Amino acid sequence: MASHGSNNETSPGLSRGSIDCWDVCLATGATSTRRIGSNEELIRSMLESYAVACCLCADECEKHAPQHEHYRVCAEACRRCEQACKEALRSLGATRHALIKWRVDGSTRYALCPPSEARGSYAK
């Protein structure tokens, strides 16, 4: 994620999306690697949330990538993390939700829904 600057939309620095993604990353890592017992339902929910956070962060960073190299690097890292979350979810068995992404009035919207309702939208 972008690692410096201010939280200003026109600034080439740190974005709200990357800060949120970082927080979700830390929480997911902590709950997923705890060496005391296991809670697959919680881990699955955390991985789903992390995949959404990565997708949102990457989308935001891609808007600024043509002008700022660190946003391009951030977007690429977020896409890799999103894929890693999806792979980890598959390793836990069938996912309970699919990430759906669509555009409405120029804005990108996201939702989690059961895979049976996704109809291929969760591809990749």
Side-chain angles (χ1 to χ4, degrees):
M1 281 155 281
S3 61
H4 63 282
S6 68
N7 195 15
N8 181 322
E9 184 63 30
T10 61
S11 169
L14 194 62
S15 70
R16 168 65 193 249
S18 62
I19 295 168
D20 291 345
C21 190
W22 177 251
D23 288 340
V24 176
C25 172
L26 291 176
T28 303
T31 56
S32 300
T33 59
R34 202 162 277 136
R35 296 174 56 95
I36 302 169
S38 180
N39 186 341
E40 284 191 18
E41 184 175 343
L42 176 62
I43 293 169
R44 186 176 284 113
S45 294
M46 295 297 292
L47 287 167
E48 289 171 346
S49 296
Y50 190 26
V52 171
C54 289
C55 184
L56 291 169
C57 184
D59 285 351
E60 183 177 334
C61 287
E62 285 168 351
K63 292 176 189 175
H64 305 288
Q67 295 82 26
H68 305 286
E69 176 69 9
H70 65 279
Y71 275 109
R72 182 191 63 75
V73 171
C74 177
E76 290 174 1
C78 287
R79 293 291 179 213
R80 285 192 305 270
C81 287
E82 179 185 5
Q83 288 304 315
C85 287
K86 291 175 182 178
E87 289 171 23
L89 283 164
R90 281 191 286 277
S91 76
L92 290 174
T95 60
R96 295 174 302 145
H97 298 94
L99 176 62
I100 305 299
K101 179 178 170 179
W102 71 98
R103 302 220 15 109
V104 176
D105 299 327
S107 297
T108 303
R109 306 294 170 109
Y110 303 87
L112 290 171
C113 72
S116 60
E117 296 174 21
R119 300 186 191 186
S121 299
Y122 189 60
K124 298 179 192 145

